[in-house]
């Protein structure tokens, strides 16, 4: 049984957590509850619980002090932090001290708590395994891999871990390496979904592994601290320092070519410096963090700053609940200005977007927004946002979706985005139309428009464009134009074959077949369709 300690100064919270789950069902038991950090610390010293669920703000000793104290004395104890959006900055500090997860009190329910508990148990197993390895020096290959995989996640690389790697001969000659890539965006020919991105991520992983794993004597996967699915990170050991720059250049070229053939993704390889000795391990890790940030930011940062937006998320939640669109616009402008102006790391933006999702989810649930799944669809792309420019576009999409939802609930039935998209298509039906052109006219991103248009109208934008072009083609045929190649050119098609394929798909017959059946009656105007 996993032994649980719950710490909160509010009796109602302690009681609520105790009866929120059937703990035995999850192989857990609550061994104690305490109302301040100092008493909790004594329980941890004497009882050695596996998992501690603790509030941040408490008398005598708060949760952050408790976590900091235990992170060095009892590193095998896993902490789950209870917090509110107002305590967002403190929650970030908790993550620095290697907390496993944080839980918003306002959203705590059996499903959320049980999911966090599953993650905490897995982390508990991992830490206990690590401690056994260090204590008995019984290092198996898979256990060593697990330790190295978490090098980026650890707040501090302990002397024990450095000694472990040193004794296994991994710190004689080593470096960190990252392979970064950006996913394609939706267009008129293809709407990319999260499932598509997951497949590409898996395929890219196979490509990268086949090239990277034979490159050095010892190669290990490293888990990105942000959970991003836009990179693969490695710890590589046993290379010749004199040839390492040439090896990196060769790996970059091979990954780029293979990825172009298999996944079509454009890749970038970045590395830390080449080092030897356990005293340089932290510096090498820091350089990998800067490499990750450099790819994300699109520029090389000298250092990373903090995104100071802690008090904004409760305000966003209130503004959504109040339907205050002007204030919500100001909120998102503050986020965009900060994200665009501060040199920050990937883990920070992941944490910020998670807080934005929590605030949005809580607010739209409170006001009874129908079809809340569309917000899940929007936020589901967060792990795939590899660049700051994509994050800024994502923030625009979230803002527009919220404004559209609040306008609709306030009685504004007009859908300006859809109206603008349709208007552009009708006015340019005789030109070649691209998704980016339509999106620019509607003042939204291409990815947002492609998904939103189908959500509202029931058909994809490309199908709507094709329908309007076929209606116009019929109008031209009815007016006497009888050469198919001229009609195709007049509608902006580059080749007659593609035009004929579209015409048949929409109307059920070929252009020539339709013209043979024309009886002379005038087809309806495409503007009335």
């Amino acid at each position: 049984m996993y032994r649980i300690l719950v710490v909160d100064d509010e009796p109602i919270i302690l009681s609520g957590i105790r009866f929120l789950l059937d703990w035995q069902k999850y192989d857990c038991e609550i061994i104690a509850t305490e109302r301040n950090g100092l008493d909790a610390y004594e329980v941890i010293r004497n009882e050695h619980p596996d998992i501690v669920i603790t509030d941040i703000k408490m008398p005598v000793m708060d949760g952050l002090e408790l976590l900091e104290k235990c992170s060095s004395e009892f590193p095998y104890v896993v902490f789950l932090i209870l917090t509110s959006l107002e305590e967002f900055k403190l929650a970030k500090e908790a993550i620095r001290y290697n907390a496993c997860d944080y839980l918003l009190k306002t959203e705590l329910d059996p499903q959320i708590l049980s999911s966090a508990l599953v993650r905490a148990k897995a982390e508990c197993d991992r830490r206990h395994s690590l401690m056994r390895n260090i204590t008995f020096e019984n290092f198996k290959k898979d256990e060593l891999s697990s330790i190295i995989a978490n090098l980026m996640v650890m707040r501090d690389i302990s002397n024990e871990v450095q000694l472990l790697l040193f004794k296994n001969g991994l710190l004689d000659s080593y470096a960190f390496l990252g392979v970064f890539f950006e996913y394609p965006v939706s267009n008129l020919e293809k709407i990319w979904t999260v499932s598509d991105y997951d497949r590409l991520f898996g395929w890219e992983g196979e490509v990268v592994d086949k090239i990277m794993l034979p490159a050095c004597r010892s190669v290990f996967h490293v888990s990105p601290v942000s959970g991003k699915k836009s990179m693969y990170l490695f710890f590589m050991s046993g290379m010749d320092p004199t040839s390492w720059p040439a090896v990196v250049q060769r790996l970059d070229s091979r990954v780029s070519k293979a990825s172009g053939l298999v996944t079509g993704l454009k890749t970038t390889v970045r590395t830390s410096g080449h080092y030897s000795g356990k005293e340089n391990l932290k510096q090498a890790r820091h350089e990998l963090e800067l490499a990750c940030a450099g790819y994300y930011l699109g520029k090389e940062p000298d250092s990373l700053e903090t995104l100071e937006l802690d008090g904004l998320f409760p305000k966003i939640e209130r503004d959504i609940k109040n339907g205050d669109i002007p204030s919500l616009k100001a909120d998102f402008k503050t986020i965009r200005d900060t994200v665009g102006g501060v040199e920050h790391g990937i883990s920070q933006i992941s944490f910020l977007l998670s807080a934005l999702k929590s605030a949005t989810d809580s607010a739209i649930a409170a006001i009874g927004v129908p079809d809340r799944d569309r917000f899940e669809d929007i936020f589901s792309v967060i792990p795939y946002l590899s660049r700051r420019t994509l994050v800024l576009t994502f923030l625009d999409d979230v803002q527009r979706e919220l404004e559209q939802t609040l306008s609709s609930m306030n009685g504004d039935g007009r859908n300006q985005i859809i109206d603008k998209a349709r208007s552009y298509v009708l006015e340019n039906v005789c030109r070649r139309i691209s998704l980016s052109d339509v999106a620019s006219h509607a003042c939204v991103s291409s990815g947002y428009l492609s998904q939103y248009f189908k959500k509202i109208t029931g058909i994809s934008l490309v199908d709507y464009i094709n329908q309007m072009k076929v209606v116009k083609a019929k109008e031209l045929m009815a007016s006497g134009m009888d050469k198919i190649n001229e009609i195709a050119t007049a509608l902006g098609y580059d080749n007659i074959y593609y035009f004929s394929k579209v015409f048949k798909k929409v109307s059920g017959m070929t252009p020539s077949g339709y013209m043979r059946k024309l009886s002379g009656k005038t087809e309806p105007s495409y503007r009335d369709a």
Side-chain angles (χ1 to χ4, degrees):
M1 299 287 281
Y2 294 85
R3 305 169 77 246
I4 313 291
L5 167 63
V6 183
V7 193
D8 199 296
D9 61 328
E10 298 180 56
I12 191 170
I13 298 294
L14 291 177
S15 178
I17 291 177
R18 179 181 286 276
F19 295 105
L20 197 59
L21 292 180
D22 179 357
W23 293 90
Q24 287 193 345
K25 178 181 176 183
Y26 294 92
D27 297 324
C28 296
E29 62 173 338
I30 296 179
I31 62 168
T33 59
E34 295 296 343
R35 298 183 60 180
N36 66 71
L38 188 58
D39 290 342
Y41 175 69
E42 291 302 317
V43 172
I44 294 171
R45 284 185 60 193
N46 297 321
E47 300 295 334
H48 300 283
D50 299 300
I51 299 169
V52 176
I53 303 173
T54 181
D55 190 15
I56 287 185
K57 288 188 175 180
M58 296 182 296
V60 187
M61 177 192 289
D62 65 27
L64 197 59
E65 292 177 89
L66 176 65
L67 178 55
E68 181 179 6
K69 194 174 183 66
C70 292
S71 64
S72 57
E73 290 187 52
F74 310 105
Y76 51 84
V77 177
V78 174
F79 277 78
L80 294 174
I81 301 300
L82 296 173
T83 185
S84 64
L85 287 172
E86 287 80 2
E87 299 165 351
F88 176 65
K89 185 173 183 178
L90 296 178
K92 287 195 295 186
E93 284 294 309
I95 298 299
R96 286 182 58 239
Y97 288 115
N98 211 18
C100 178
D101 205 348
Y102 75 98
L103 305 172
L104 289 174
K105 289 183 179 180
T106 55
E107 297 181 1
L108 200 58
D109 61 23
Q111 182 177 357
I112 289 176
L113 181 56
S114 62
S115 297
L117 199 58
V118 169
R119 292 191 294 273
K121 288 163 56 180
E123 176 64 10
C124 183
D125 292 343
R126 188 193 69 79
R127 293 189 189 181
H128 279 290
S129 175
L130 173 60
M131 296 306 296
R132 285 196 302 271
N133 287 337
I134 292 173
T135 302
F136 299 108
E137 300 184 358
N138 179 25
F139 308 122
K140 296 180 181 178
K141 176 71 174 178
D142 57 342
E143 293 170 336
L144 187 63
S145 297
S146 175
I147 293 165
I148 295 176
N150 286 281
L151 283 176
M152 296 297 291
V153 179
M154 297 176 185
R155 177 178 175 270
D156 189 25
I157 303 177
S158 67
N159 291 330
E160 290 84 358
V161 169
Q162 294 179 55
L163 184 61
L164 184 157
L165 299 181
F166 177 75
K167 286 185 175 181
N168 279 267
L170 297 176
L171 299 184
D172 296 332
S173 174
Y174 63 91
F176 287 96
L177 181 146
V179 179
F180 306 91
F181 42 91
E182 186 174 329
Y183 293 97
V185 297
S186 296
N187 54 44
L188 286 177
E189 285 71 40
K190 170 69 175 176
I191 296 177
W192 293 91
T193 66
V194 168
S195 295
D196 295 326
Y197 291 159
D198 274 337
R199 282 194 292 272
L200 287 176
F201 182 68
W203 294 341
E204 186 66 30
E206 294 178 11
V207 170
V208 171
D209 277 355
K210 287 182 179 178
I211 295 172
M212 291 298 168
L213 296 183
C216 295
R217 186 186 68 202
S218 300
V219 180
F220 298 86
H221 279 278
V222 178
S223 302
V225 68
S226 61
K228 286 290 184 185
K229 292 186 175 182
S230 57
M231 64 184 72
Y232 283 100
L233 307 181
F234 297 90
F235 175 80
M236 312 183 79
S237 175
M239 69 284 285
D240 177 2
T242 59
S243 62
W244 177 239
V247 171
V248 172
Q249 188 174 15
R250 185 166 64 251
L251 292 174
D252 191 2
S253 175
R254 292 186 63 194
V255 169
S256 177
K257 290 179 181 178
S259 298
L261 291 172
V262 177
T263 65
L265 298 179
K266 183 179 179 181
T267 61
T268 298
V269 172
R270 294 177 178 231
T271 72
S272 70
H274 177 277
Y275 289 98
S276 62
K278 57 181 183 294
E279 68 277 2
N280 294 315
L281 185 59
K282 294 178 183 179
Q283 176 61 27
R285 184 181 72 165
H286 175 65
E287 291 178 8
L288 179 63
E289 291 173 342
L290 290 179
C292 293
Y295 178 80
Y296 161 74
L297 295 170
K299 59 187 296 187
E300 301 304 322
D302 295 325
S303 60
L304 299 179
E305 304 171 66
T306 300
L307 294 172
E308 297 291 353
L309 290 166
D310 304 319
L312 190 62
F313 300 105
K315 183 176 182 299
I316 289 176
E317 185 174 355
R318 289 193 300 270
D319 289 341
I320 296 172
K321 290 179 179 178
N322 296 332
D324 191 341
I325 294 177
S327 184
L328 193 64
K329 287 178 182 286
D331 297 338
F332 274 87
K333 183 179 185 303
T334 299
I335 297 177
R336 282 194 299 273
D337 289 348
T338 303
V339 171
V342 174
E343 305 303 296
H344 58 278
I346 297 179
S347 59
Q348 283 199 67
I349 196 63
S350 297
F351 200 75
L352 181 146
L353 295 179
S354 176
L356 176 61
K357 181 180 185 301
S358 296
T360 301
D361 288 347
S362 178
I364 64 175
I367 63 178
V369 172
D371 190 22
R372 298 203 302 270
D373 288 347
R374 68 180 184 273
F375 285 96
E376 287 294 328
D377 291 341
I378 292 174
F379 281 104
S380 66
V381 304
I382 289 176
Y384 310 92
L385 300 175
S386 57
R387 299 277 197 174
R388 176 161 59 179
T389 53
L390 297 175
V391 170
L392 293 172
T393 300
F394 167 80
L395 291 171
D396 289 339
D397 290 346
V398 175
Q399 179 186 341
R400 292 188 186 104
E401 184 66 37
L402 286 170
E403 289 179 12
Q404 192 70 30
T405 297
L406 295 178
S407 295
S408 177
M409 296 185 70
N410 289 336
D412 183 4
R414 296 179 64 225
N415 196 318
Q416 295 183 359
I417 294 176
I418 301 300
D419 289 345
K420 286 183 178 180
R422 284 172 167 160
S423 173
Y424 183 89
V425 172
L426 296 178
E427 291 172 3
N428 295 275
V429 73
C430 290
R431 293 178 56 241
R432 181 180 177 86
I433 300 175
S434 70
L435 176 58
S436 59
D437 289 338
V438 185
S440 178
H441 182 77
C443 302
V444 295
S445 69
S446 299
Y448 178 82
L449 179 61
S450 62
Q451 296 184 31
Y452 188 69
F453 192 94
K454 185 169 185 178
K455 179 80 73 174
I456 299 300
T457 66
I459 65 170
S460 69
L461 180 58
V462 66
D463 285 343
Y464 176 74
I465 293 171
N466 288 336
Q467 287 179 11
M468 295 303 100
K469 284 184 176 288
V470 169
V471 170
K472 183 62 177 177
K474 291 180 178 180
E475 183 180 306
L476 294 175
M477 293 173 185
S479 68
M481 187 178 289
D482 58 359
K483 292 186 178 180
I484 298 175
N485 63 327
E486 292 181 358
I487 295 172
T489 300
L491 293 172
Y493 289 100
D494 291 334
N495 67 74
I496 188 173
Y497 172 77
Y498 184 67
F499 165 68
S500 299
K501 184 177 179 181
V502 168
F503 192 98
K504 184 174 182 179
K505 179 181 178 182
V506 173
S507 67
M509 62 182 70
T510 63
S512 57
Y514 180 81
M515 284 193 289
R516 284 196 299 269
K517 292 197 172 190
L518 268 179
S519 59
K521 67 178 182 178
T522 304
E523 291 292 318
S525 168
Y526 73 96
R527 288 190 177 274
D528 298 326

